[in-house]
Amino acid sequence: MPSRKPAAASGALSLHFKKFLQQGRGIASLAPSSRKLAIAACRGILPHRPQTIVELGAGLGPITAHAAQRMHPDSRLIAIERDPDFAAYTRRVVPCAEVIVGDAGDIAILLAERQVTQVDLVINGLPTPSLPEPVKRKIFEWMANLPDTVLISQLTVMPWVYLPMYRHLFDRVHFDLVLANVPPGGVYHCNGLRPEYAAWL
Ligand SMILES: C[S@@+](CC[C@H](N)C(=O)[O-])C[C@H]1O[C@@H](n2cnc3c(N)ncnc32)[C@H](O)[C@@H]1O
């Protein structure tokens, strides 16, 4: 059964803020995503059809928790998070998710190790533009090999800044603006990664 517990309880908020102070751009947001942002991030989840959902940068799991509630009971939810404290918390509050402690740059290897041969949806909570270039490259090379139909839902806390960039990188982009978040943010829902991504890296 998917967990219905709230993802970020009191002590967890201070853990997030502490990590933000320590790691800055690696965490990127002051606080975990709000429920409204989690709802927008999970737009591509189909409650009536099993899917394989990959989440990158799970943090304290607000998106993971909402995905677990929304997805079909036979769906597989794989969340990758490099911070072991965040991963342990998310694993505890969302027991049905497969939470992997690892670097999202190793996504192709991490999925192959778990015999994942098909992905239906990617929810990307990473601060993608500010990732180190080699990590970004490996993630984009992996995404470039996914079928055109796979939706890549990228979270942002700088909505207008990166919208033109995502429109340049993908054939189709639908933008959900979410003001009810600290700070205000949104989700770029993208399909069809263009070869231009290589020059942008
Ligand atoms: C903006 S926070 C989002 C957290 C959560 N998804 C949310 O919405 O509240 C970004 C998360 O990505 C993680 N992260 C950053 N770089 C990563 C990497 N290379 N591999 C895996 N996780 C990474 C950070 O530790 C952090 O938890």
Side-chain angles (χ1 to χ4, degrees):
M1 266 298 276
S3 165
R4 290 186 185 275
K5 289 179 207 163
S10 47
L13 296 174
S14 54
L15 174 64
H16 187 106
F17 190 61
K18 192 178 106 193
K19 299 275 183 187
F20 173 73
L21 293 178
Q22 287 167 350
Q23 300 174 37
R25 281 156 60 110
I27 302 287
S29 60
L30 287 167
S33 292
S34 67
R35 180 164 167 74
K36 288 249 166 79
L37 189 54
I39 290 168
C42 293
R43 174 194 270 271
I45 293 182
L46 304 174
H48 305 297
R49 192 192 302 165
Q51 293 172 298
T52 299
I53 302 157
V54 172
E55 183 190 7
L56 304 177
L60 290 169
I63 313 285
T64 327
H66 189 71
Q69 281 180 21
R70 183 169 159 76
M71 71 188 192
H72 186 280
D74 294 332
S75 284
R76 190 169 178 189
L77 175 57
I78 301 164
I80 298 172
E81 170 55 54
R82 75 170 172 194
D83 185 292
D85 297 328
F86 281 167
Y89 185 89
T90 297
R91 197 174 286 129
R92 206 166 54 242
V93 295
V94 195
C96 69
E98 298 169 51
V99 183
I100 303 169
V101 181
D103 193 297
D106 297 326
I107 177 74
I109 299 165
L110 295 170
L111 294 183
E113 283 172 355
R114 287 157 181 83
Q115 286 80 45
V116 178
T117 52
Q118 187 203 320
V119 170
D120 299 299
L121 173 66
V122 180
I123 302 177
N124 190 354
L126 299 169
T128 300
S130 52
L131 288 172
E133 194 272 340
V135 176
K136 221 163 24 187
R137 179 172 299 282
K138 287 194 277 179
I139 294 169
F140 273 80
E141 283 171 356
W142 170 72
M143 291 195 303
N145 283 320
L146 297 173
D148 190 58
T149 49
V150 173
L151 188 69
I152 296 165
S153 295
Q154 168 72 57
L155 273 82
T156 183
V157 287
M158 302 188 89
W160 291 283
V161 176
Y162 292 115
L163 184 55
M165 185 190 93
Y166 282 95
R167 288 206 168 127
H168 174 69
L169 295 178
F170 289 89
D171 286 338
R172 298 174 298 286
V173 178
H174 172 90
F175 178 51
D176 277 338
L177 175 67
V178 180
L179 295 175
N181 190 67
V182 181
V187 185
Y188 311 114
H189 300 282
C190 310
N191 282 105
L193 182 59
R194 296 182 176 141
E196 282 88 331
Y197 84 84
W200 167 76
L201 295 167

